Amino acid sequence: MYDIVKKTKEWKFMKIGIDKLGFFTPDLYVDMAELARTRHEDPNKYLIGIGQAKMAVIPPTQDVVTMAANAAQRILTVDDKEQLDLVIFATESGIDNSKAAAVYVARLLGLKSNIRAFEVKQACYGATAGLQLARDHVALFPRSKVLVIGADIARYGLKTPGEPTQGGGAVALLVSADPQILALDKQSAYQTQDIMDFWRPLGQTEAMVDGKYSSNIYLEFLDHVWQDYQQKTGLKLEDLAAVLFHLPYTKLGLKGIRQLTTGAEPALTLRLTKEFEHARTFNRLVGNLYTGSLYLSLLSLLQQSEQLIAGDRLGLFSYGSGAEAEFYSGILQPDFKAGLMGVDYSQLLANRQQVSVDKYEHLFKQQLFHAATEELDYSNDPARFVLAGVKEYQRQYLEH
Ligand code: HMG
């Protein structure tokens, strides 16, 4: 009895959250103004109306497994690997109907075998589900560390209205007690409703979407969970140093911040809008990476903002079509910059190679989905982990 009371008190005061954050996107992009001109659209529709300047182009030698391993290897030390006992891989562009991408990643990263590793799916909400599960796991086992991955390739198809909102990449979150970056608040607000705004039937390689409807539902869910979060926590907009959004295209986050700040003091609106600009910088250059998008935005804020200080509370809005949303928050920790492991993501994104629209279209069609046996030339892919091909439907991953 005494032990239970003691443990409950420990949980109450223990900080749990994001200790480290890593990100990977391939080294190729297409320029959105050029894509707009090729599609006979005004470039400002993509640059301002949608809010995207560049879009990640995914070569066939990268998929969710390789991108995840490339993101995670940026943050994991030997000690982390020793303490890791759970890998949660969130994706909606998985590469197998049965085997979890987490199992491949655990092998590529050299993790020990006495771990749990599995995949979760709920559109772009998956990584948030993983993060909350990881938090609960660490509450039970405070010495454990959990690797949560959000990796996806967003595909709507060439010459579709969704095309300028594609992209891809992976985020890796290390969750632990006494985290360096963000200690999660316990209370959050969530909502699930069966809605057909975006889906991808089995066997299809591109998503189906009711684009305008999906954007409206996103904003309705934002309103609902934000009201609920305020009621549950007693916190208000002025208690937040910044609000982060899932960013399928960055204009939608701008609509989100405008919705939240309607009727707010001008100084508060200005402060939150400024931070939103920092939070969308990287997403404007990558596009949608589905479930990793919110956490790329967190990374962008942490590297771009000069105002944030330890103790600031960040609000996070996670949305996954279908549909599910959650509004939660966390407190920035004194070493939050150290949790990014010294990687300069602005530089990494600036160093990517631009490809022509023709080349992007070619690579779009080269992704391996149904091939039984095929070898890929990975000599031009500078990433550490690559997909070298498939042999009798078995994907061949290697480190080079
Ligand atoms: P569209 O029909 O091509 O674009 O589709 P539009 O005509 O609505 O124009 C877009 C905006 O550009 C409009 O602004 C125009 O006024 C403006 P808004 O009315 O929205 O404020 N515009 C211009 N602005 C400046 N200069 C110009 C100009 N011309 C027009 N010259 C749409 C756009 C986003 C619907 C489409 O790309 C799409 O369907 N995308 C995919 C769906 C999507 O991203 N939905 C977001 C919510 S659902 C979600 O977030 C979940 C998701 O990530 C998946 C998951 O959970 O797994 C998608």
Side-chain angles (χ1 to χ4, degrees), residues 4-60:
I4 292 173
V5 172
K6 200 172 143 212
K7 268 232 164 298
T8 310
K9 277 192 179 153
E10 277 170 15
W11 294 344
K12 213 170 161 189
F13 297 112
M14 187 168 41
K15 287 181 184 171
I16 304 171
I18 303 173
D19 184 51
K20 295 181 184 175
L21 170 51
F23 168 64
F24 174 86
T25 191
D27 71 323
L28 307 176
Y29 75 90
V30 68
D31 179 77
M32 293 303 277
E34 195 182 320
L35 182 63
R37 281 190 288 271
T38 313
R39 301 290 183 248
H40 310 291
E41 295 280 4
D42 179 345
N44 280 340
K45 174 174 173 183
Y46 290 5
L47 299 173
I48 300 167
I50 301 242
Q52 294 302 131
K54 293 178 180 177
M55 187 167 84
V57 171
I58 318 299

Side-chain angles (χ1 to χ4, degrees), residues 41-42 44-45 48-50 92 123-125 156 161-165 197-198 209-212 214-215 218 246 248-249 251-252 255 288 290 319-321:
E41 295 280 4
D42 179 345
N44 280 340
K45 174 174 173 183
I48 300 167
I50 301 242
E92 55 180 297
C124 300
Y125 172 74
Y156 294 93
E163 183 182 35
T165 63
D197 61 333
F198 168 108
V209 65
D210 190 339
K212 299 227 162 70
S214 69
S215 302
Y218 171 108
H246 164 56
Y249 54 97
K251 172 74 169 293
L252 193 54
K255 287 185 184 181
N288 197 356
Y290 289 160
Y319 177 81
S321 282

Side-chain angles (χ1 to χ4, degrees), residues 4-222:
I4 292 173
V5 172
K6 200 172 143 212
K7 268 232 164 298
T8 310
K9 277 192 179 153
E10 277 170 15
W11 294 344
K12 213 170 161 189
F13 297 112
M14 187 168 41
K15 287 181 184 171
I16 304 171
I18 303 173
D19 184 51
K20 295 181 184 175
L21 170 51
F23 168 64
F24 174 86
T25 191
D27 71 323
L28 307 176
Y29 75 90
V30 68
D31 179 77
M32 293 303 277
E34 195 182 320
L35 182 63
R37 281 190 288 271
T38 313
R39 301 290 183 248
H40 310 291
E41 295 280 4
D42 179 345
N44 280 340
K45 174 174 173 183
Y46 290 5
L47 299 173
I48 300 167
I50 301 242
Q52 294 302 131
K54 293 178 180 177
M55 187 167 84
V57 171
I58 318 299
T61 48
Q62 291 295 318
D63 67 8
V64 291
V65 168
T66 57
M67 293 194 297
N70 285 315
Q73 61 87 20
R74 290 198 161 128
I75 58 167
L76 296 183
T77 62
V78 173
D79 285 349
D80 293 331
K81 289 183 186 178
E82 196 42 49
Q83 281 175 273
L84 259 176
D85 61 1
L86 174 59
V87 181
I88 304 175
F89 195 122
T91 186
E92 55 180 297
S93 31
I95 43 86
D96 195 286
N97 283 323
S98 171
K99 182 167 172 171
V103 175
Y104 295 98
V105 169
R107 196 252 302 162
L108 290 173
L109 295 173
L111 302 185
K112 56 192 189 188
S113 61
N114 50 338
I115 57 168
R116 289 184 178 134
F118 55 86
E119 198 170 298
V120 296
K121 176 179 68 185
Q122 189 357 68
C124 300
Y125 172 74
T128 299
L131 177 63
Q132 298 293 355
L133 274 178
R135 196 266 306 268
D136 296 350
H137 178 79
V138 174
L140 263 183
F141 305 104
R143 283 186 198 84
S144 291
K145 293 191 177 184
V146 182
L147 178 62
V148 178
I149 287 165
D152 274 304
I153 302 175
R155 288 172 66 94
Y156 294 93
L158 303 175
K159 300 174 189 166
T160 62
E163 183 182 35
T165 63
Q166 298 178 140
V171 293
L173 309 171
L174 187 66
V175 178
S176 72
D178 294 323
Q180 293 179 101
I181 300 179
L182 195 70
L184 301 179
D185 289 324
K186 289 209 173 70
Q187 195 64 264
S188 67
Y190 30 82
Q191 182 187 15
T192 300
Q193 248 183 285
D194 185 0
I195 283 171
M196 292 305 282
D197 61 333
F198 168 108
W199 65 104
R200 185 161 66 84
L202 292 175
Q204 303 265 8
T205 54
E206 278 88 54
M208 296 182 161
V209 65
D210 190 339
K212 299 227 162 70
Y213 177 59
S214 69
S215 302
N216 291 337
I217 293 286
Y218 171 108
L219 293 170
E220 276 178 28
F221 271 55
L222 170 63

